[in-house]
Each structure stands twice: as structure tokens, then as C-alpha cells.
Amino acid sequence: MEKYLYITLFAPLLGSLIAALFAARPKTLFTGIVTSALIALSFFSSIVLLNYVDGDRIVHVMMMDWISAGNIAIPFGFVVDQVSVIMMVTVTLVSTIVHIYSIGYMDHDKSFNRFFSYLSAFVFSMLILVMSDNFVGLFIGWEGVGLCSWLLIGFWYHKHSASWAANEAFIMNRVADLGMLMGLFLIYWQIGSLQYDIVFANIVNLDISTVTWIGIFLFIGAMGKSAQFPLHTWLADAMEGPTPVSALIHAATMVTAGVYLVIRASEIYALIPDVGYAIASLGAFVAVFAASMALVNRDLKRIIAYSTLSQLGYMFVAAGLGAYWIALFHLMTHAFFKSLLFLGAGNVMHAMNDELDIKKMGGLYTSMKATAILMTLASIALAGIYPFAGFFSKDKILEVAFNHEAYLLWFALFIGAGLTAFYSFRLVMLVFFGESVHKKLGFHPHEAQSFVIYALTPLALLAVVAGFFEHSFHAFVTDLVRDYEFTLDHSIALVLIFATSAIALSGIGFAVYKYKRGGFSESLENSGLYKLLINQYYIPKLYDVAICKPFTSFSRFLWKSIDVKVVDFSVDMIARVLYGTGEKARKMQSGNLSSMLRWMVAGIVILLLLAIFLRPMV
């Protein structure tokens, strides 16, 4: 099985290097095909490993000694177990589809080859993150996906907005990563190792206060990567990147890394339930907070981005309350229907000449029936309607909150379910149905290429049927992570399911009813609540006023008052003194015999004077 581990891990790296060879050349279809084939090879190897691990076996490979300094000994090792293999299959499956889709989407881009090099490098970094058997390897992959996301979000670097969004994502994640590093330092200081098995075996021997700080620091890193409040603003702005990037990074892989970290470190968080409850509380807040912003946004990709942010909140609720397998289950099902939504949005963008305002669309169903059907299926799954995948995973999280007697969290998630259903079908109605506004604006939409539609079909199928694997998924994952015990009566569980389904159907019905009749009145857009939501609760403005502008002013002060007037002046003064001294000393080397004799006599006089005045006193 070791060879399959290497194939899964290094096939994307090979694809990235091959594409990089042609990065500076015009579009070469060969790079798109080869990188897609290598990612597909990685996926099939992951499936083989999944079947192997399903037999209660684990693949653990120690490739070589990596870091060896003093008492630090960290090998370069990888582990394929019940948690990592689920992530491997999910990442490589979605990545394969995104690569194939990108061949059509990036067809006319002059940096076609460079895009595929970055995309495959991102997949390789994500696999390093999830397959590593120690926290340092996880951190290397963690930083790798951060670098690749910066390259991909800012792929169209000639656009100021894209460069700005890439820098925002990179900087905000580096701030959070400082917290994660503090957690890793604390683990090594207390345990002397960063290997998962050693850490988890010895964590119970530490003071609970130390474990608490470790859990808090690690979660700070997770907050940045998974865009949890208050480090959330970068996610929506990251939509400046190409749409396949959004589907891969912001639906199925990088943003879920924070959830994966909490699940992987479940042995730590199981010891500190208070920290877990705080994580769940923040997740419930974000679930409603992000959903409320999606209600009014008109940008097609940003609506889906806010939805991702909201669903990450659901995952953190499950993980924070100790239902780790349910958090991983929702992570997996969400990856299928959310990446399908992003890729479908890419089809709409192409058809509408990159227009993103959903109020300039309408009636696209007649021109884009396949895309409309796919996005509608994904929206139903996102809303959590039976028998789609979202019903099984998201409803389970609400059941966990109620079972935990966290009724306030349950109510927040319950409201979030209704909001999710409403904004999902607001998007569907405004884009595909209703009045054909696009005709008045001169757009001539068309369906995507047939191979693109075929590539999206597996995601649509999984968005429908993945939920039926709940019981086998539960049995598989709980061989490694702690199980969650439900104590609810069956009748109460049924009532909860009925209530959640009812509010989701109500949200869908209200959206269809309202937008079939033309939507809300324009006076609503002048209301204070609308302005609050459309401006993201003024949080970006607050950050700009409270952090960015003072930092810029302080930096300008340091530049003009310290750097220029002190540092540069001092350096320039030293240079002027040395230059002036040199100019005057040049006369000593004039080559004139009389002049040189005079200097020699002057030197002898100085030496005699020094000998007289500095001689030892007798």
C-alpha cells in the first residue's frame, strides 16, 4: 500500500512541475490534460487506500529523517487512517473535476499553463496537510495552501482588486497562524514531540490549564484558515480569483482545513469541553451571521461564499460539541454540493460575459437548462431537503446541539437553516427564472461546453446520494475518533427533523413566491437593516478605520520621520564623511616626490610626539 500513498501524494506535484515547464509559453492543452490525468490518478489511488483502511488497517510511512537538531527529531512521515483518507478522497475527487472543468473555463486565458501549475501545487500542499503524521508536517502543508491560495486568488494580478484580495487573505491567515505556532511550541515544550500518536498518548498527563491554552492557540489558526469571525472578511473578497479556484479552495479544501485540525486534534479538545463549547458558540454565531449577509448580496459568487462561511459554522458546532464524525460528514457532503454551485456559477459567468450581478440576469433557464438543473439540485442539497446529502449531515448537527442541551445554539442553527433555504433559492430564482432582464441589457447567454457539464455530473450525483452512506461513514470514522452518544428519544428526533425540514421548505417556498412576483420593493434597499447587511455589518469599514488607516499612518510616520530623517540621514552622513576624508587623503598619493617627503616628515614628527607623551612614567 505504500506505493499508493506515494502516488496519491506526489502525482499532483508531478503535474504542477510539468505545467510549470510551460508556464511562460502560450496555452498548451497538453498541460491541462496531463495535470487532470495525474490528479485523477491520485484520486484512484486514494480509493484503493480507502478500501484498504476500511479493513481496520492503517498505512504509516516514515520516508526519512527530516528535522534533527538537539533534542528535536521530526521524521518526514505520513499516515493514512480513517480521517485522513476521507479527506484525501474528497480533496482529490473535487480537484479532479475542477481540473477538467478548468480546461474549458480557462481556455482563452493567456496564463493557462501557469494556472494549472498553481492548481496542482495547491492540491499537493493540501495532501501534505491531511496526510502528515505530525503537527509540523501539517503546518508545512498549512502554509503551502496559504501560499498557493495567494497565487490563485491573485492570479489576475493586473487587477488591483485581485492583488488586494490575495494580500488580504495571505496577511489575515498569517496573523492567525501565529496563534497556531504558539500552540505547536507549547505542545513540544510540554511533551517533547509533535508526532500525533505521542502527543495524543501524553496529552492527558498535562495540567488542564496547559491543555486549554494549547486548544485555544490551535483554534486561532483554524479560525484564520476557515474564515471564522472576526477573521472572516478575506473569504468573500477572495472571489476575485478564477471561479475554479473558488470551487476548490473555498468549498472543498483550504477553508475546511480548520475543521480538519479540530477533528484531528479531537483527543485534545475532548479534554477541554469548555473550549469546545466556545468553538461551537462561535460556529453557531457565524452560521447566522454569514447567512444574513447572503440574504441581500447581489454578487453571484459572494452569495455562495457567504454560504460556505455559514456552513463552516455548522461544522464547528458539531466539532466543538464532540460530534467529530458528524463534522467530518458535513465537511464531505458540503464539498460536493458547494463545489457544484461554484462551478455552475462559473458557467453562468461565462454565459454572461463575466457579469456577477444576479439582478441583471433572470430567465437563463431557457438558455442554460443543464446548468440550471445542476445548480438547483445543489441548492436543494444545501437547503437540507430529504433525500439530498445536506439533509443527512446538516440535520444531524442540529440534533447534536439539541441533544447537548445547547438550545440557544440549536435555535441559531434552526434560524440559519431557514435563511440558507431562502438565499439559495433567491439566487436560483433571480438567475434562472422570472423576467429575462439580461435580454434588455444585451446579453446573449449560452450553455457551457458538453464536457464541462459531464464533468459536473458526479458532483450532482453525490449531492443527491451521499447522505445515504451515513451509517457506513459513522462506523468507519469512529474506529479512530471518539463516537458521539445520542440520548434523545426517537420521537423527539423526528420532531426536530420535521421542524428543520419545515423551516427549510418554508424558506424555499417564500423565495419562490416572492421572486416569482418580482421580489421585494426598492424601498427595502433604503432601509437601515438592508444597508447594515449589504455593508457586512460595517466590519470591513471598521477594520479599515481602526486598523488599516492607523497602521498606514504609523508606517508613513516611521518612513518619513525615522527612516528618512534618522536612518537615511545617518547612513548618508557616514558616507559623506568617508567620501570627504578620502578626497582629502588622496593628496597623500599624488606621486609628487616633494609632497610625499613632506608627508613623511610630518608622520615622523607625529610619531615622535606620541612617543614622548605616551611613554610610561618612571
Side-chain angles (χ1 to χ4, degrees):
M1 287 296 114
E2 188 173 326
K3 66 178 179 181
Y4 291 104
L5 184 150
Y6 292 140
I7 291 171
T8 302
L9 180 61
F10 291 111
L13 176 61
L14 178 61
S16 177
L17 295 175
I18 291 173
L21 293 175
F22 301 91
R25 299 184 183 182
K27 174 199 167 185
T28 308
L29 188 61
F30 168 78
T31 59
I33 295 173
V34 169
T35 52
S36 300
L38 286 168
I39 296 292
L41 178 62
S42 180
F43 167 65
F44 288 121
S45 295
S46 298
I47 293 295
V48 173
L49 290 168
L50 175 65
N51 291 329
Y52 181 79
V53 174
D54 196 25
D56 292 331
R57 291 166 291 193
I58 291 177
V59 182
H60 195 182
V61 174
M62 309 298 286
M63 285 184 61
M64 60 182 178
D65 291 331
W66 183 21
I67 300 175
S68 183
N71 294 326
I72 300 177
I74 301 172
F76 198 62
F78 301 95
V79 62
V80 179
D81 55 25
Q82 287 82 354
V83 171
S84 61
V85 78
I86 290 293
M87 291 295 295
M88 289 160 58
V89 170
T90 303
V91 168
T92 53
L93 170 60
V94 175
S95 300
T96 300
I97 293 170
V98 167
H99 273 71
I100 296 171
Y101 176 92
S102 299
I103 294 174
Y105 189 89
M106 302 297 290
D107 183 52
H108 301 295
D109 197 287
K110 63 180 181 180
S111 298
F112 181 90
N113 302 333
R114 179 167 61 92
F115 178 80
F116 278 92
S117 179
Y118 291 168
L119 204 63
S120 292
F122 174 85
V123 179
F124 170 68
S125 297
M126 189 66 192
L127 290 173
I128 289 280
L129 191 159
V130 300
M131 294 173 67
S132 178
D133 69 346
N134 62 80
F135 281 104
V136 176
L138 179 145
F139 189 74
I140 296 298
W142 193 273
E143 295 305 302
V145 294
L147 170 62
C148 293
S149 69
W150 178 75
L151 293 170
L152 288 165
I153 295 167
F155 182 75
W156 291 317
Y157 53 85
H158 54 277
K159 292 169 57 181
H160 172 74
S161 57
S163 294
W164 189 91
N167 290 337
E168 180 190 20
F170 191 81
I171 293 168
M172 196 166 284
N173 274 275
R174 298 297 74 72
V175 171
D177 290 350
L178 177 61
M180 184 176 176
L181 272 175
M182 294 290 289
L184 299 189
F185 291 152
L186 194 53
I187 289 171
Y188 184 79
W189 181 32
Q190 294 293 321
I191 296 177
S193 176
L194 289 164
Q195 294 292 118
Y196 292 149
D197 51 357
I198 298 175
V199 172
F200 299 149
N202 290 279
I203 196 72
V204 293
N205 299 324
L206 302 185
D207 292 338
I208 198 65
S209 60
T210 303
V211 180
T212 299
W213 280 112
I214 290 172
I216 291 171
F217 283 134
L218 291 181
F219 182 65
I220 290 172
M223 285 171 63
K225 199 65 77 184
S226 294
Q228 294 297 283
F229 179 87
L231 304 175
H232 66 283
T233 55
W234 70 266
L235 183 61
D237 293 334
M239 297 302 105
E240 289 291 339
T243 301
V245 173
S246 303
L248 183 62
I249 295 180
H250 306 122
T253 53
M254 190 181 89
V255 294
T256 61
V259 181
Y260 171 78
L261 174 61
V262 175
I263 296 169
R264 175 54 77 185
S266 59
E267 294 297 322
I268 296 175
Y269 287 101
L271 300 174
I272 44 175
D274 289 344
V275 173
Y277 191 83
I279 292 171
S281 299
L282 179 63
F285 167 75
V286 171
V288 178
F289 171 73
S292 66
M293 292 187 285
L295 293 175
V296 300
N297 209 283
R298 296 172 56 161
D299 186 298
L300 177 61
K301 289 174 66 177
R302 280 178 175 263
I303 294 170
I304 305 173
Y306 286 130
S307 174
T308 298
L309 187 53
S310 179
Q311 296 306 305
L312 287 166
Y314 278 84
M315 297 174 207
F316 276 116
V317 170
L321 296 179
Y324 303 109
W325 77 266
I326 296 174
L328 187 61
F329 187 47
H330 191 52
L331 184 157
M332 182 188 73
T333 60
H334 171 262
F336 301 144
F337 52 75
K338 187 54 61 67
S339 54
L340 178 58
L341 275 173
F342 269 120
L343 296 178
N347 290 351
V348 173
M349 284 178 62
H350 260 322
M352 293 289 292
N353 299 327
D354 293 332
E355 178 59 59
L356 285 167
D357 190 341
I358 59 176
K359 292 206 171 179
K360 294 181 180 179
M361 300 177 188
L364 291 181
Y365 178 78
T366 55
S367 306
M368 306 181 68
K369 289 183 180 178
T371 299
I373 291 170
L374 291 171
M375 290 191 71
T376 302
L377 290 174
S379 297
I380 295 172
L382 175 60
I385 304 302
Y386 182 85
F388 289 73
F391 168 83
F392 294 92
S393 59
K394 192 163 72 173
D395 274 35
K396 210 73 178 174
I397 296 173
L398 276 88
E399 192 176 335
V400 166
F402 203 91
N403 181 75
H404 215 80
E405 297 183 358
Y407 301 123
L408 186 59
L409 302 189
W410 174 85
F411 183 72
L413 299 180
F414 179 72
I415 296 300
L419 298 179
T420 300
F422 177 81
Y423 69 65
S424 298
F425 276 82
R426 169 180 176 264
L427 184 151
V428 169
M429 293 299 296
L430 285 175
V431 173
F432 295 109
F433 302 100
E435 183 184 359
S436 299
V437 181
H438 67 273
K439 291 182 179 178
K440 299 176 183 178
L441 299 174
F443 291 105
H444 302 285
H446 56 84
E447 186 56 274
Q449 296 158 286
S450 56
F451 81 89
V452 170
I453 299 298
Y454 292 140
L456 300 185
T457 304
L459 289 177
L461 181 63
L462 288 167
V464 176
V465 305
F468 291 107
F469 296 97
E470 176 191 341
H471 296 297
S472 57
F473 184 93
H474 167 242
F476 178 72
V477 174
T478 51
D479 280 344
L480 181 69
V481 301
R482 300 185 182 208
D483 198 359
Y484 182 83
E485 183 180 352
F486 284 97
T487 57
L488 284 177
D489 290 338
H490 183 65
S491 57
I492 295 177
L494 288 176
V495 171
L496 293 176
I497 291 171
F498 176 79
T500 308
S501 298
I503 196 171
L505 289 170
S506 299
I508 293 172
F510 184 57
V512 171
Y513 168 78
K514 201 67 184 175
Y515 289 99
K516 203 171 182 180
R517 297 165 61 90
F520 293 91
S521 62
E522 292 185 5
S523 61
L524 180 66
E525 297 186 6
N526 296 319
S527 68
L529 179 60
Y530 180 90
K531 290 179 180 178
L532 183 68
L533 297 178
I534 200 67
N535 287 290
Q536 305 173 57
Y537 294 90
Y538 295 99
I539 290 174
K541 187 174 181 62
L542 174 64
Y543 287 173
D544 186 50
V545 172
I547 299 174
C548 297
K549 287 183 178 177
F551 183 80
T552 302
S553 299
F554 183 60
S555 300
R556 188 174 287 112
F557 166 76
L558 292 177
W559 164 42
K560 292 186 176 180
S561 301
I562 306 299
D563 195 30
V564 174
K565 292 183 179 180
V566 177
V567 178
D568 287 355
F569 176 79
S570 301
V571 172
D572 291 343
M573 179 59 70
I574 293 170
R576 284 195 291 269
V577 169
L578 292 175
Y579 184 79
T581 304
E583 281 289 306
K584 295 185 181 303
R586 285 174 60 188
K587 296 176 181 179
M588 298 171 63
Q589 302 292 330
S590 63
N592 185 285
L593 181 60
S594 299
S595 175
M596 294 178 73
L597 286 171
R598 284 195 296 270
W599 280 110
M600 187 173 68
V601 170
I604 292 170
V605 170
I606 292 171
L607 289 173
L608 288 172
L609 289 172
L610 288 173
I612 293 170
F613 290 107
L614 296 180
R615 65 186 177 86
M617 300 297 292
V618 179

